[in-house]
Amino acid sequence: MRLDIVTIFPEYLEPLNVSLVGKARLRGQLDVHIHDLRQWTHDRHNTVDDTPYGGGPGMVMKPEPWGEALDAVIASGAGPQGARPTLVVPTPSGRPFTQALAVELSERPWLVFAPARYEGIDRRVIDEYGERLDVHEVSIGDYVLAGGEAAVLVITEAVARLLPGVLGNAASHQDDSFAPGAMENLLEGPVYTKPPEWRGRGIPEILLSGHHGRIARWRRDEAIRRTVANRPELLECCDPAALDKHDRKILAGLGWTEDPEGRILRPQGGMEE
Ligand code: 6GU
């Protein structure tokens, strides 16, 4: 997979040399190109921003440097079949970045990232490239960052680990929390390793029992408990068919109820809040 990132802070992308993504680059599985947007400015101050039309706070990134940058990057990779990249624009007003979108992006041969600083990029840039490329405006969560570079790191790591051969074991991302269809909308439960006792704390006995079926059931119970505690909305929207009798027993024990269609409901008017 090829990745191009156009930014006014190329140093911010240094972490792409480290760990899983860095290794994928060394192995030739990821071909990463980082570009300084200011290369495509022509004034003495390398200006990339200006005041917003209509007034208001902050600055808006000018369209001309972005247009020249994206044209150059797109032209640099236009192969014989006229290969076109997918453009990813990180922005707090984008669609939520999810594991499903990570999977979709991991299937593309070429991604170009356009992270903005300031109040964002002049809208005409997104409209212009939207006529030529698949454009995804994505947000990594409900909070505001000072710029999209950290989001590029997040998205790149989520995508890179899905590429064939990047994670050691191909099965290892199938049971990720949020993997489409894997553990059905459940968060992963706790994990343990050696030593068997640490600061007086042991390991749940079931994990030492060797009963694979009972261990799987225990892990699922723990996944349900953790999902109830941290992300109850994931359970409320899940397919009722994804829950077996034992799941429902665990949930009933936590005060959850079922509607006539088998949909589960969190405890109503509880003591939380
Ligand atoms: Cl992608 N960018 C910025 N600036 N803030 C964010 C974000 C992205 N996602 C959540 N907050």
Side-chain angles (χ1 to χ4, degrees):
M1 172 181 269
R2 174 171 170 179
L3 295 182
D4 287 83
I5 302 150
V6 180
T7 172
I8 58 169
F9 290 122
E11 328 83 85
Y12 210 116
L13 285 306
E14 280 292 309
L16 297 179
N17 292 319
V18 179
S19 187
L20 174 128
V21 173
K23 283 183 196 143
R25 290 176 77 174
L26 289 174
R27 286 197 213 102
Q29 293 161 326
L30 260 188
D31 177 23
V32 179
H33 303 259
I34 297 167
H35 313 272
D36 187 341
L37 178 67
R38 294 192 202 274
Q39 278 184 249
W40 291 283
T41 57
H42 304 287
D43 63 310
R44 289 160 29 79
H45 298 107
N46 303 117
T47 309
V48 293
D49 61 339
D50 205 338
T51 54
Y53 275 121
M59 299 291 272
V60 175
M61 296 191 96
K62 294 166 64 57
E64 304 97 315
W66 278 107
E68 286 189 34
L70 294 173
D71 286 350
V73 167
I74 293 165
S76 76
Q81 303 102 296
R84 277 188 260 178
T86 298
L87 181 61
V88 180
V89 183
T91 163
S93 21
R95 272 204 296 154
F97 182 63
T98 59
Q99 189 65 21
L101 185 52
V103 169
E104 190 183 332
L105 294 178
S106 75
E107 290 162 354
R108 306 291 173 103
W110 183 12
L111 305 178
V112 174
F113 288 94
R117 288 268 144 181
Y118 316 114
E119 298 299 312
I121 304 173
D122 187 301
R123 185 70 211 173
R124 292 170 292 181
V125 175
I126 288 91
D127 294 342
E128 168 83 2
Y129 290 93
E131 291 183 357
R132 265 180 276 165
L133 307 176
D134 272 350
V135 178
H136 294 272
E137 291 183 272
V138 297
S139 163
I140 61 162
D142 293 340
Y143 41 78
V144 179
L145 303 170
E149 283 77 6
V152 172
L153 297 176
V154 166
I155 296 165
T156 299
E157 186 158 320
V159 167
R161 63 187 285 285
L162 297 175
L163 298 176
V166 168
L167 272 195
N169 168 7
S172 52
H173 52 73
Q174 289 191 355
D175 56 272
D176 294 342
S177 299
F178 306 112
M183 234 0 204
E184 295 108 8
N185 271 352
L186 295 179
L187 302 182
E188 283 176 53
V191 295
Y192 301 88
T193 185
K194 271 75 73 185
E197 190 178 308
W198 178 75
R199 298 193 180 178
R201 297 165 188 275
I203 303 296
E205 221 165 305
I206 180 80
L207 297 178
L208 307 170
S209 71
H211 289 109
H212 300 298
R214 285 204 258 155
I215 290 170
R217 185 61 252 179
W218 179 85
R219 287 194 167 136
R220 189 168 169 93
D221 295 350
E222 291 301 309
I224 291 170
R225 289 188 219 285
R226 187 177 280 194
T227 307
V228 163
N230 294 346
R231 299 292 302 280
E233 78 281 7
L234 292 179
L235 276 168
E236 276 181 333
C237 69
C238 85
D239 176 5
L243 296 170
D244 66 22
K245 262 173 61 185
H246 192 106
D247 296 339
R248 290 168 190 280
K249 207 178 97 192
I250 296 286
L251 285 163
L254 296 167
W256 287 53
T257 54
E258 285 181 32
D259 73 8
E261 286 87 59
R263 244 168 228 301
I264 52 163
L265 302 167
R266 68 179 97 180
Q268 297 298 303
M271 325 237 279
E272 321 108 280
E273 246 97 28

